[in-house]
Amino acid sequence: MDAILKTENLVMTYRVGRVDVNALRGVNLSVGRGEFVSIMGPSGCGKSTMLHILGGLLKPTSGKVIVDNEDMAGMTDAERTDTRRRKIGFVFQRFNLFPTLTAEGNLRLAEQIHGNGKKVVDEEVRREVLRLLRLENKMRHKPLELSGGEQQRVAIARAIITRPAIILADEPTGNLDSENSEIVLEMLQKLNRELNQTIVMITHNPEAAAVAARTVHMRDGMIVGEK
Amino acid sequence: MDNLVASNIRQRPTRTLLSVAGVALGVVLIVLNTGLVEGMLNDRIKRERGVGAEIRFGRSGAMLSPSSSNPVDVRYADRLMKIEGVGQVSPVGYYIQSGNSGLGMEIVEGVEFESYSAITGAKVVEGNAPKTDQEVMIDEFKALHNKLKVGSDIQVFGETKKVSGIYSPQVGSRIKMPLSALQNALSAEGKCFEILVKVKDPEKQDDVRQRILDELPGNEILLTRDLGVGVGREIPGIKGFVRAVLVLSVIVSALVILLAMYTTITERTREIGILKSLGASKGFIIGVIEKEALTISLIGVLVGLIISMIAAWALERATTLQLEFTWSWILRAGLIGLGAGALGALYPAIRAANKDAVQALSYE
Ligand SMILES: Nc1ncnc2c1ncn2[C@@H]1O[C@H](COP(=O)(O)OP(=O)(O)O)[C@@H](O)[C@H]1O
Ligand SMILES: [Mg+2]
């Protein structure tokens, strides 16, 4: 299978005072183009750390992180930022929208950063994404005027509108009630199927994990199984 | 407008208002002070040119800036009269005191009224020329603006004196007293600041000047028509004063913006994390913060200019001060306001750009 994302023996050690915290101890993960993978595991097992490394927000202590043929482990901060801009879309548990901007403004900002001064977003894609996420009528609202589920859908739209190689979602339903969780998961699944969008999603919830084609289990900084 | 810079500015109206006020204050400081200086200089030069003497005779090096030192011996007046082409001479003494409104400075002249009047055409239009050391006369403009009449009290040499008369037209300084009284007060017997020289034929003033130079070497002989082009554009300490105002204004504006943007970036730590998660470079983040600071500074500059205009209008109504705004100073004040804002925002901007993305994202 054509891997769009691959880690080799990924190690991450946080240094807290004189104590070393081994958050990742040799993770080998491979995600194919167009795949929807969920990652499960107990709190503190290193899921978020791994996601941050995959998205270039953190530099691993050792090992390789290959995103769309670029090894991010060997990059400088600025190079990782640039790779993130071009290839990664993040979705967070806390939505992380700009509260002072409308949904439209939040999307435009992401497009602006992604385009690096150029206009790069295809209006066709834009319309399709908003349709899939059922956001057509929400774009003029500010985040606080939207429900949690709607806010997360705006955040997903923001992540996907620039058509990143990979979407990295860290417990995207962690702040949502079950009804909204279902809607959001269903939409992620649709985006995966209809736009062939690669998604890596962390979750606590086995039902959430079930929407993904493959689930990876982690424990104590290692991958311990797959389904 | 639905963009980050504009929405951030609107998000914190109090902070925006305070920063605008800080930058505006800096601009007001520059524009009003330089306006006062320009106004004082030009007003004075206008009145000096109206004196009617084509030539001014004084001590080398002392004439560029008026001061209370009166280094010229009045006996030069007689020697000047003997030079061919000289029609009339009149010695003038100077005393510099701070302006009556506490702003700027004011020159008090000691004159021999008869010869002074012969050269300048100044006439007493109300009351009398001063007869005692306790009397002075003032011009019509000062009488009108300071609401002074014949018999009013006026502060000169830190003493209360009486206005004995009002003269017209406005020539030289606005307060005049007998030269002898000025000499007494300054313990400068037989001295003056300069001697006004009226020539018989204004066409030949250059020749007369040359003759004076030849016959009385070692003195400074200025042509009145040259006043204002380098010569006479000096007031003691004025350069240092203007420089201090500029520095103060830069510091005020930069500090206000620095504080405002510093609190802003702390408050918006998580938003900076979001920008980073979206792939924003350090340059982009610095740009966002600098644009915000520049927008605030621009508003501050405009507000400052408007306040300056209003303040100038009020000052001119309430005092004898004349303000003159020049485009060059308005432009400089604007650039200083913007520059100081950009400078003040630089440190917070760089700090924001260097924040750790993951930590910023988890900031509460
Ligand atoms: N910035 C950090 N400094 C020190 N230790 C950290 C830091 N971030 C995470 N850790 C530790 O690393 C381990 C993995 O954390 P994390 O990746 O957040 O786990 P998960 O997302 O699976 O709950 C935990 O033991 C956590 O305490
Ligand atoms: Mg986590």
Side-chain angles (χ1 to χ4, degrees), chain B residues 220-284:
Chain B
E220 181 127 24
I221 295 110
L222 298 180
L223 295 176
T224 294
R225 64 161 193 246
D226 291 339
L227 286 180
V229 283
V231 178
R233 290 205 45 96
E234 298 271 340
I235 292 177
I238 207 67
K239 276 192 186 135
F241 171 74
V242 169
R243 207 171 299 137
V245 165
L246 293 187
V247 170
L248 187 70
S249 149
V250 169
I251 291 174
V252 168
S253 306
L255 261 186
V256 166
I257 294 285
L258 180 109
L259 287 176
M261 296 318 286
Y262 194 85
T263 39
T264 295
I265 64 145
T266 308
E267 214 175 71
R268 300 207 194 113
T269 296
R270 201 143 73 87
E271 294 179 23
I272 291 158
I274 302 171
L275 285 176
K276 291 189 164 225
S277 78
L278 292 171
S281 63
K282 288 186 181 182
F284 185 92

Coordinates of all heavy atoms in Angstrom, one line a residue, chain B residues 220-284:
Chain B
E220 N 29.9 91.9 14.3 CA 29.0 91.2 13.4 C 28.0 92.2 12.8 O 27.4 92.9 13.6 CB 28.3 90.0 14.1 CG 27.4 89.2 13.2 CD 27.6 87.8 13.2 OE1 28.1 87.3 14.3 OE2 27.3 87.1 12.3
I221 N 27.9 92.2 11.5 CA 27.0 93.1 10.9 C 26.0 92.3 10.0 O 26.4 91.7 9.0 CB 27.7 94.2 10.1 CG1 28.5 95.0 11.0 CG2 26.7 95.1 9.3 CD1 30.0 94.8 10.9
L222 N 24.8 92.2 10.4 CA 23.8 91.4 9.7 C 22.9 92.3 8.9 O 22.6 93.4 9.3 CB 22.9 90.6 10.7 CG 23.6 89.6 11.6 CD1 22.6 88.9 12.4 CD2 24.4 88.6 10.7
L223 N 22.4 91.7 7.8 CA 21.4 92.4 7.0 C 20.0 91.9 7.5 O 19.8 90.7 7.6 CB 21.5 92.2 5.5 CG 22.8 92.8 4.9 CD1 22.9 92.5 3.5 CD2 22.8 94.3 5.1
T224 N 19.1 92.8 7.7 CA 17.8 92.3 8.2 C 17.1 91.4 7.2 O 16.4 90.4 7.6 CB 16.9 93.5 8.4 OG1 17.4 94.3 9.5 CG2 15.4 93.1 8.8
R225 N 17.3 91.6 5.9 CA 16.7 90.8 4.9 C 17.2 89.3 5.0 O 16.5 88.4 4.4 CB 16.9 91.4 3.5 CG 18.3 91.4 3.0 CD 18.4 91.5 1.5 NE 19.7 91.3 1.1 CZ 20.6 92.2 0.6 NH1 20.1 93.4 0.3 NH2 21.8 91.8 0.3
D226 N 18.4 89.1 5.6 CA 18.9 87.7 5.7 C 18.3 87.0 6.9 O 18.4 85.8 7.1 CB 20.4 87.7 5.9 CG 21.1 88.1 4.6 OD1 20.4 88.0 3.5 OD2 22.2 88.6 4.7
L227 N 17.6 87.7 7.8 CA 17.0 87.1 9.0 C 16.0 86.0 8.5 O 15.2 86.2 7.6 CB 16.2 88.1 9.8 CG 17.0 89.0 10.7 CD1 16.1 89.9 11.5 CD2 18.0 88.3 11.6
G228 N 16.1 84.9 9.2 CA 15.2 83.8 8.8 C 15.8 82.8 7.9 O 15.3 81.7 7.8
V229 N 16.8 83.1 7.2 CA 17.5 82.1 6.5 C 18.8 81.7 7.2 O 19.9 82.1 6.9 CB 17.9 82.5 5.0 CG1 16.6 82.4 4.2 CG2 18.5 83.9 5.0
G230 N 18.6 80.9 8.2 CA 19.8 80.5 9.0 C 20.0 81.5 10.1 O 20.1 81.1 11.3
V231 N 20.0 82.7 9.8 CA 20.3 83.8 10.8 C 19.1 84.1 11.5 O 18.0 84.3 11.0 CB 20.9 85.0 10.1 CG1 21.2 86.1 11.1 CG2 22.1 84.7 9.3
G232 N 19.2 84.2 12.8 CA 18.0 84.6 13.6 C 17.0 83.4 13.8 O 16.0 83.6 14.4
R233 N 17.3 82.2 13.3 CA 16.4 81.1 13.5 C 16.9 80.3 14.7 O 16.9 79.1 14.7 CB 16.4 80.2 12.3 CG 15.7 80.9 11.1 CD 15.1 80.0 10.1 NE 14.4 78.8 10.7 CZ 13.1 78.8 10.9 NH1 12.3 79.9 10.6 NH2 12.5 77.8 11.4
E234 N 17.3 81.0 15.7 CA 17.8 80.4 16.9 C 17.1 80.9 18.1 O 16.9 82.1 18.2 CB 19.3 80.6 17.0 CG 20.1 80.0 15.9 CD 20.5 78.6 16.1 OE1 20.5 78.2 17.3 OE2 20.8 77.9 15.2
I235 N 16.8 80.1 19.0 CA 16.3 80.5 20.3 C 17.2 79.7 21.3 O 17.4 78.5 21.0 CB 14.8 80.2 20.5 CG1 14.0 81.1 19.6 CG2 14.4 80.4 22.0 CD1 12.5 80.8 19.6
P236 N 17.7 80.3 22.3 CA 18.6 79.5 23.2 C 18.0 78.1 23.6 O 16.8 78.1 24.0 CB 18.8 80.4 24.4 CG 18.1 81.7 24.1 CD 17.4 81.6 22.8
G237 N 18.7 77.1 23.4 CA 18.3 75.7 23.9 C 17.3 75.1 23.1 O 16.8 74.0 23.4
I238 N 16.9 75.7 21.9 CA 15.7 75.2 21.2 C 16.0 73.8 20.6 O 15.1 73.0 20.6 CB 15.2 76.2 20.2 CG1 13.7 76.0 20.0 CG2 16.0 76.1 18.9 CD1 12.9 76.4 21.1
K239 N 17.2 73.6 20.1 CA 17.4 72.3 19.4 C 17.3 71.2 20.5 O 16.7 70.2 20.2 CB 18.8 72.3 18.8 CG 18.8 73.0 17.4 CD 20.1 72.7 16.6 CE 20.0 73.5 15.3 NZ 21.3 74.2 15.1
G240 N 18.0 71.4 21.6 CA 17.9 70.4 22.7 C 16.5 70.2 23.1 O 16.1 69.0 23.3
F241 N 15.7 71.2 23.2 CA 14.3 71.1 23.6 C 13.5 70.3 22.6 O 12.8 69.3 23.0 CB 13.7 72.5 23.7 CG 12.2 72.5 23.9 CD1 11.7 72.1 25.2 CD2 11.3 72.9 22.9 CE1 10.3 72.1 25.4 CE2 10.0 72.8 23.1 CZ 9.5 72.5 24.4
V242 N 13.7 70.6 21.3 CA 12.9 69.8 20.3 C 13.4 68.4 20.3 O 12.5 67.5 20.2 CB 13.1 70.5 18.9 CG1 12.6 69.5 17.8 CG2 12.4 71.8 18.8
R243 N 14.7 68.2 20.5 CA 15.2 66.8 20.5 C 14.5 66.0 21.7 O 14.1 64.9 21.6 CB 16.7 66.8 20.6 CG 17.3 65.5 20.0 CD 18.8 65.6 19.8 NE 19.2 66.7 19.0 CZ 20.2 67.5 19.3 NH1 20.9 67.4 20.4 NH2 20.5 68.5 18.4
A244 N 14.5 66.7 22.8 CA 13.9 66.1 24.0 C 12.5 65.7 23.8 O 12.0 64.7 24.2 CB 14.1 67.0 25.2
V245 N 11.7 66.6 23.2 CA 10.3 66.4 22.9 C 10.2 65.1 22.0 O 9.4 64.3 22.2 CB 9.7 67.6 22.2 CG1 8.3 67.2 21.6 CG2 9.5 68.7 23.2
L246 N 11.1 65.0 21.0 CA 11.0 63.9 20.1 C 11.3 62.6 20.8 O 10.5 61.6 20.7 CB 12.0 64.1 18.9 CG 11.8 65.2 17.9 CD1 12.8 65.1 16.8 CD2 10.4 65.1 17.4
V247 N 12.3 62.6 21.6 CA 12.7 61.4 22.3 C 11.5 61.0 23.3 O 11.1 59.8 23.3 CB 14.0 61.6 23.1 CG1 14.2 60.5 24.1 CG2 15.2 61.8 22.2
L248 N 11.0 62.0 24.0 CA 9.9 61.7 24.9 C 8.7 61.1 24.2 O 8.1 60.1 24.7 CB 9.5 63.0 25.6 CG 8.5 62.9 26.7 CD1 9.1 62.2 27.9 CD2 7.9 64.2 27.1
S249 N 8.4 61.7 23.1 CA 7.3 61.2 22.3 C 7.5 59.8 21.8 O 6.6 59.0 21.9 CB 7.0 62.2 21.2 OG 6.5 61.5 20.1
V250 N 8.7 59.5 21.3 CA 9.0 58.1 20.9 C 8.8 57.1 22.1 O 8.2 56.1 22.0 CB 10.4 58.0 20.3 CG1 10.8 56.5 20.1 CG2 10.5 58.7 19.0
I251 N 9.3 57.5 23.2 CA 9.3 56.7 24.4 C 7.8 56.4 24.8 O 7.4 55.3 25.0 CB 10.1 57.3 25.6 CG1 11.6 57.2 25.2 CG2 9.8 56.5 26.9 CD1 12.5 57.9 26.2
V252 N 7.1 57.5 24.9 CA 5.7 57.4 25.3 C 4.9 56.4 24.4 O 4.3 55.5 24.8 CB 5.0 58.7 25.4 CG1 3.5 58.6 25.5 CG2 5.5 59.6 26.5
S253 N 5.0 56.7 23.1 CA 4.2 55.9 22.1 C 4.7 54.5 22.1 O 3.9 53.5 22.1 CB 4.4 56.5 20.7 OG 4.1 57.8 20.7
A254 N 6.0 54.3 22.1 CA 6.5 52.9 22.0 C 6.1 52.1 23.3 O 5.7 50.9 23.2 CB 8.0 52.9 21.8
L255 N 6.2 52.7 24.4 CA 5.9 52.0 25.7 C 4.5 51.6 25.8 O 4.1 50.5 26.2 CB 6.3 52.9 26.9 CG 7.6 52.7 27.6 CD1 7.7 53.5 28.8 CD2 7.7 51.2 27.9
V256 N 3.6 52.6 25.4 CA 2.2 52.3 25.4 C 1.8 51.1 24.5 O 1.1 50.2 24.9 CB 1.4 53.6 25.0 CG1 -0.1 53.2 24.7 CG2 1.4 54.6 26.1
I257 N 2.4 51.1 23.3 CA 2.1 50.0 22.4 C 2.7 48.7 22.9 O 2.1 47.7 22.8 CB 2.7 50.4 21.0 CG1 1.9 51.5 20.4 CG2 2.6 49.2 20.1 CD1 0.5 51.2 19.9
L258 N 3.9 48.9 23.5 CA 4.6 47.7 24.0 C 3.7 47.0 25.1 O 3.5 45.8 25.0 CB 6.0 48.0 24.6 CG 6.7 46.8 25.2 CD1 7.9 46.5 24.3 CD2 7.2 47.0 26.6
L259 N 3.3 47.8 26.0 CA 2.4 47.3 27.1 C 1.1 46.7 26.6 O 0.7 45.6 26.9 CB 2.1 48.3 28.1 CG 3.3 48.7 29.0 CD1 2.9 49.9 29.9 CD2 3.8 47.5 29.8
A260 N 0.5 47.4 25.7 CA -0.8 46.9 25.1 C -0.6 45.6 24.4 O -1.3 44.6 24.6 CB -1.3 48.0 24.2
M261 N 0.4 45.5 23.5 CA 0.6 44.3 22.7 C 1.1 43.2 23.6 O 0.8 42.0 23.3 CB 1.6 44.6 21.6 CG 1.1 45.6 20.5 SD -0.7 45.4 20.1 CE -0.6 44.0 19.1
Y262 N 1.9 43.5 24.6 CA 2.4 42.5 25.5 C 1.2 41.8 26.2 O 1.1 40.5 26.3 CB 3.4 43.0 26.5 CG 4.2 42.0 27.2 CD1 5.3 41.5 26.6 CD2 3.7 41.4 28.4 CE1 6.0 40.4 27.2 CE2 4.5 40.4 29.0 CZ 5.6 39.9 28.4 OH 6.3 38.9 29.0
T263 N 0.3 42.6 26.8 CA -0.9 41.9 27.4 C -1.7 41.2 26.4 O -2.2 40.1 26.7 CB -1.8 43.0 28.1 OG1 -1.9 44.1 27.3 CG2 -1.3 43.4 29.5
T264 N -1.8 41.8 25.2 CA -2.5 41.1 24.1 C -2.0 39.7 23.8 O -2.8 38.8 23.7 CB -2.5 42.0 22.9 OG1 -3.1 43.2 23.1 CG2 -3.2 41.3 21.7
I265 N -0.7 39.6 23.7 CA -0.2 38.3 23.3 C -0.3 37.3 24.4 O -0.5 36.1 24.2 CB 1.2 38.3 22.7 CG1 2.2 38.8 23.8 CG2 1.3 39.2 21.5 CD1 3.5 38.1 23.6
T266 N -0.3 37.7 25.6 CA -0.5 36.8 26.7 C -1.9 36.3 26.7 O -2.2 35.1 26.8 CB -0.1 37.5 28.1 OG1 1.1 38.1 28.0 CG2 -0.1 36.5 29.2
E267 N -2.8 37.3 26.6 CA -4.2 37.0 26.6 C -4.6 36.0 25.4 O -5.4 35.2 25.5 CB -4.9 38.3 26.3 CG -6.3 38.4 27.0 CD -6.7 39.9 26.7 OE1 -7.1 40.2 25.6 OE2 -6.7 40.7 27.6
R268 N -3.8 36.2 24.3 CA -4.2 35.4 23.1 C -3.2 34.3 22.9 O -3.0 33.9 21.7 CB -4.2 36.3 21.9 CG -5.2 37.4 22.0 CD -5.6 37.9 20.6 NE -6.3 39.2 20.7 CZ -5.8 40.3 20.3 NH1 -4.7 40.3 19.6 NH2 -6.5 41.4 20.5
T269 N -2.6 33.8 23.9 CA -1.6 32.7 23.8 C -2.2 31.6 23.0 O -1.5 31.1 22.0 CB -1.1 32.2 25.2 OG1 -0.5 33.3 25.8 CG2 -0.2 31.1 25.0
R270 N -3.4 31.2 23.3 CA -3.9 30.0 22.6 C -4.2 30.3 21.2 O -3.9 29.4 20.3 CB -5.2 29.5 23.3 CG -5.6 28.1 23.0 CD -6.2 27.4 24.2 NE -7.5 27.8 24.4 CZ -8.6 27.3 23.7 NH1 -8.4 26.3 22.9 NH2 -9.8 27.7 24.0
E271 N -4.6 31.5 20.9 CA -4.8 31.8 19.4 C -3.5 31.8 18.7 O -3.5 31.4 17.5 CB -5.5 33.2 19.3 CG -6.9 33.2 19.9 CD -7.6 34.5 19.9 OE1 -7.2 35.3 19.0 OE2 -8.5 34.7 20.7
I272 N -2.4 32.1 19.3 CA -1.1 32.0 18.7 C -0.8 30.6 18.4 O -0.3 30.2 17.3 CB 0.0 32.7 19.5 CG1 -0.3 34.2 19.5 CG2 1.4 32.4 19.0 CD1 0.3 35.0 20.7
G273 N -1.1 29.7 19.4 CA -1.0 28.3 19.2 C -1.8 27.8 18.0 O -1.3 27.0 17.2
I274 N -3.0 28.3 17.9 CA -3.9 27.9 16.7 C -3.2 28.3 15.4 O -3.1 27.5 14.5 CB -5.3 28.5 16.8 CG1 -5.9 28.1 18.2 CG2 -6.1 28.1 15.7 CD1 -7.2 28.8 18.5
L275 N -2.7 29.6 15.4 CA -2.1 30.0 14.2 C -0.9 29.1 13.8 O -0.7 28.7 12.6 CB -1.5 31.5 14.3 CG -2.5 32.6 14.3 CD1 -1.9 33.9 14.6 CD2 -3.3 32.7 13.0
K276 N -0.2 28.7 14.8 CA 0.9 27.8 14.6 C 0.4 26.4 14.1 O 1.0 25.9 13.1 CB 1.8 27.6 15.8 CG 2.5 28.9 16.2 CD 3.5 28.7 17.3 CE 4.4 29.9 17.2 NZ 5.8 29.5 17.4
S277 N -0.7 25.9 14.6 CA -1.2 24.6 14.2 C -1.6 24.7 12.7 O -1.6 23.7 12.0 CB -2.3 24.2 15.1 OG -3.5 24.8 14.8
L278 N -2.0 25.9 12.3 CA -2.4 26.1 10.9 C -1.3 26.2 10.0 O -1.4 26.3 8.8 CB -3.3 27.3 10.8 CG -4.7 27.2 11.5 CD1 -5.4 28.6 11.4 CD2 -5.6 26.2 10.8
G279 N -0.1 26.3 10.6 CA 1.1 26.4 9.7 C 1.6 27.8 9.5 O 2.4 28.1 8.6
A280 N 1.2 28.7 10.4 CA 1.6 30.1 10.3 C 3.1 30.2 10.7 O 3.5 29.7 11.7 CB 0.8 31.0 11.2
S281 N 3.9 30.9 9.8 CA 5.3 31.0 10.1 C 5.5 32.1 11.2 O 4.6 32.8 11.5 CB 6.0 31.4 8.8 OG 5.6 32.7 8.4
K282 N 6.7 32.2 11.7 CA 7.0 33.3 12.6 C 6.8 34.6 12.0 O 6.2 35.5 12.6 CB 8.5 33.2 13.1 CG 8.8 32.0 14.0 CD 10.2 32.0 14.5 CE 10.3 30.8 15.4 NZ 11.7 30.7 16.0
G283 N 7.2 34.7 10.8 CA 7.0 36.0 10.0 C 5.5 36.4 10.0 O 5.1 37.6 10.2
F284 N 4.7 35.4 9.7 CA 3.2 35.7 9.7 C 2.7 36.2 11.0 O 2.0 37.2 11.1 CB 2.5 34.4 9.3 CG 1.0 34.6 9.1 CD1 0.5 34.8 7.8 CD2 0.1 34.5 10.1 CE1 -0.9 35.0 7.6 CE2 -1.3 34.7 9.9 CZ -1.7 35.0 8.7

